């Protein structure tokens, strides 16, 4: 097993000498290489068994990898070997797209945060499906789906249905990303009327696909931390009415209050990591109260240790996810959280 205690003193300084996106691409390429045995055994780490059942799915432990790190599902087995109880890949779109112009990924080092404006850069749903087919990971896999930037917002449902139809046989759950701040007009889909027009056809398609494949794949909706309380209440009302299977709280934030004056704070895009923790946890608690335990919740945003993971659970989360803390602290954070949650 790799000596993870060296991550902060050796590996991270090496990676942080590179641009953030260059380091990310290197991580994914290494992940692809180490996804196969015998190399996978070199990076595998043992975590304690902590099984939970949520949305009718059995998770080895309640800690997952959040969407955005492995957009194309190229390193699923690598991340699985690190001890995650579930892995969410994507966000994927029907057609490949390059995303926003570079540079588009920035470290806010002083706050252990990251700002990204990637713009759903991915190789398309067909490429992702091929990787899902090849994966040998035995944990739960979620797939985050979105729309192409060139698709008008009033036709967004067509993109979501296309992605959903293609990933359905290979996903354990499907996350509907309507909250990324880096795709024009996407967050408008969180408004009650627009959301209803989106989720109703998706629930209809879910029933159709469940009949076709004989398997019910849950639908999770990922929401923004920047919604007003009345918007949250309306959105939760639709989720309850349409029997959405789960809500992920939350995506990144466009707020810069916590990191004002820090390097890169003025870059536009979604902020993740430590600066997001309190804002996302507040939304999680509000949503938990609004749905009153009727819908399972995934808590994500700023978790970097077991105490913060417990805070998310206390706020109503059934499952938790990390992303940015893996970049800053390395794989040891997975073991520390799972073993002490």
């Amino acid at each position: 097993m790799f000596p993870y205690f060296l991550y902060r003193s050796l590996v991270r300084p090496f990676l942080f000498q590179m641009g953030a996106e260059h380091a990310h691409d290197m991580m994914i390429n290494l992940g692809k290489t180490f996804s196969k045995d015998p190399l996978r055994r070199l990076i595998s780490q043992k975590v304690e068994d902590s099984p939970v059942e949520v949305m009718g799915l059995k998770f080895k432990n309640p800690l997952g990898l959040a969407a955005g790190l492995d957009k194309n599902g190229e390193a699923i087995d690598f991340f699985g070997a690190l001890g995650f109880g579930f892995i969410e890949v994507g966000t994927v779109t029907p057609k490949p797209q390059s995303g926003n112009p570079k540079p588009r990924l920035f470290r806010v080092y002083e706050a252990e945060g990251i700002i990204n404006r990637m713009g759903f850069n991915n190789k398309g749903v067909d490429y992702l499906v091929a990787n899902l087919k090849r994966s040998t990971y035995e944990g739960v896999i979620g797939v985050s789906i979105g729309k192409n930037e060139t698709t008008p917002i009033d036709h967004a449902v067509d993109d979501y249905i296309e992605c959903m139809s293609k990933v359905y046989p290979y996903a354990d759950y499907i996350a509907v990303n309507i909250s990324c701040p880096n795709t024009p007009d996407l967050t408008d889909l969180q408004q009650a009327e627009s959301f209803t027009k989106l989720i109703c056809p998706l629930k209809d398609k879910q029933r159709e696909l469940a009949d076709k494949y004989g398997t019910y794949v849950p639908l999770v909706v990922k929401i923004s931390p920047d919604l007003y309380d009345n918007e949250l209440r309306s959105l939760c009302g639709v989720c309850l009415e349409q029997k959405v299977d789960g809500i992920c709280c939350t995506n990144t934030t466009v707020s810069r209050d916590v990191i004002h004056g820090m390097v890169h704070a003025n870059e536009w895009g979604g902020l993740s990591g430590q600066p997001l923790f309190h804002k996302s946890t507040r939304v999680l608690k509000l949503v938990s109260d609004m749905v009153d335990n009727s819908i399972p919740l995934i808590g994500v945003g700023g978790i970097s240790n077991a105490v913060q993971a417990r805070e998310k659970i206390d706020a109503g989360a059934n499952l938790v996810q990390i992303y940015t803390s893996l970049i800053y602290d390395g794989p040891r954070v997975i073991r520390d959280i799972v073993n002490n949650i």
Side-chain angles (χ1 to χ4, degrees):
M1 182 178 72
F2 180 82
Y4 293 125
F5 64 88
L6 293 178
Y7 183 83
R8 275 185 173 263
S9 61
L10 181 63
V11 177
R12 192 176 80 173
F14 171 72
L15 290 174
F16 278 28
Q17 287 181 350
M18 309 175 191
E21 187 165 356
H22 184 194
H24 173 270
D25 292 343
M26 176 178 286
M27 177 190 293
I28 294 300
N29 286 330
L30 285 172
K32 289 164 64 175
T33 300
F34 279 86
S35 284
K36 300 176 182 178
D37 279 334
L39 291 178
R40 186 169 59 204
R41 298 175 191 173
L42 298 177
I43 54 90
S44 177
Q45 65 176 349
K46 178 66 176 175
V47 300
E48 294 181 5
D49 290 333
S50 183
V52 292
E53 186 168 341
V54 182
M55 300 184 295
L57 301 172
K58 295 180 180 179
F59 296 77
K60 294 187 291 186
N61 65 66
L63 179 66
L65 176 67
L69 188 54
D70 191 4
K71 293 177 182 290
N72 299 298
E74 295 174 312
I76 295 172
D77 295 339
F78 166 76
F79 289 115
L82 298 182
F84 282 111
F86 65 110
I87 295 169
E88 191 171 313
V89 296
T91 294
V92 68
T93 56
K95 299 174 184 177
Q97 61 181 29
S98 58
N100 290 318
K102 299 178 181 180
R104 55 194 181 181
L105 189 64
F106 308 90
R107 303 181 189 98
V108 186
Y109 188 85
E110 301 92 331
E112 296 200 356
I114 291 175
I115 293 172
N116 94 83
R117 52 172 180 261
M118 304 298 284
F120 285 174
N121 59 308
N122 73 102
K123 298 178 182 179
V125 67
D126 292 331
Y127 182 86
L128 173 65
V129 166
N131 287 329
L132 290 173
K133 290 179 180 179
R134 281 193 289 267
S135 172
T136 61
Y137 174 61
E138 295 180 352
V140 170
I141 297 179
V143 179
S144 176
I145 60 174
K147 80 171 193 73
N148 281 112
E149 184 174 352
T150 55
T151 301
I153 197 68
D154 54 345
H155 291 288
V157 66
D158 298 331
D159 280 13
Y160 284 97
I161 285 178
E162 181 177 348
C163 287
M164 181 179 175
S165 299
K166 289 186 174 181
V167 306
Y168 193 94
Y170 312 103
D172 294 301
Y173 72 86
I174 297 171
V176 182
N177 188 344
I178 55 173
S179 52
C180 176
N182 306 318
T183 296
D185 302 322
L186 187 79
T187 55
D188 292 347
L189 294 174
Q190 296 176 108
Q191 300 305 310
E193 183 177 353
S194 298
F195 179 59
T196 300
K197 291 179 179 177
L198 174 70
I199 199 64
C200 287
L202 290 178
K203 289 295 292 184
D204 288 342
K205 192 66 178 180
Q206 181 189 37
R207 286 186 282 270
E208 176 189 323
L209 293 168
D211 289 340
K212 178 179 179 180
Y213 293 105
T215 301
Y216 184 86
V217 176
L219 274 184
V220 174
V221 174
K222 188 166 189 176
I223 65 173
S224 167
D226 299 320
L227 292 172
Y228 293 111
D229 292 3
N230 63 315
E231 293 174 318
L232 275 175
R233 190 170 292 105
S234 297
L235 183 61
C236 287
V238 177
C239 287
L240 287 166
E241 181 181 314
Q242 297 302 321
K243 294 181 169 48
V244 166
D245 301 293
I247 301 175
C248 184
C249 306
T250 66
N251 215 314
T252 55
T253 179
V254 298
S255 172
R256 297 293 185 269
D257 293 346
V258 178
I259 62 166
H260 177 73
M262 296 182 184
V263 177
H264 298 310
N266 292 329
E267 297 288 350
W268 72 269
L271 171 65
S272 63
Q274 287 282 358
L276 178 59
F277 180 78
H278 293 295
K279 192 176 185 71
S280 63
T281 305
R282 176 185 179 275
V283 170
L284 171 66
K285 181 66 169 67
L286 285 172
V287 170
S288 178
D289 291 341
M290 289 171 183
V291 302
D292 194 24
N293 297 319
S294 297
I295 300 176
L297 305 179
I298 301 174
V300 56
I303 299 172
S304 62
N305 55 56
V307 172
Q308 291 176 319
R310 289 180 187 178
E311 286 189 51
K312 294 287 189 185
I313 292 171
D314 289 344
N318 303 91
L319 302 165
V320 292
Q321 291 177 324
I322 62 171
Y323 178 157
T324 305
S325 61
L326 183 62
I327 306 303
Y328 279 94
D329 297 326
R332 182 173 180 173
V333 70
I334 303 166
R335 188 178 68 228
D336 289 349
I337 291 174
V338 174
N339 289 358
N340 296 287
I341 198 168

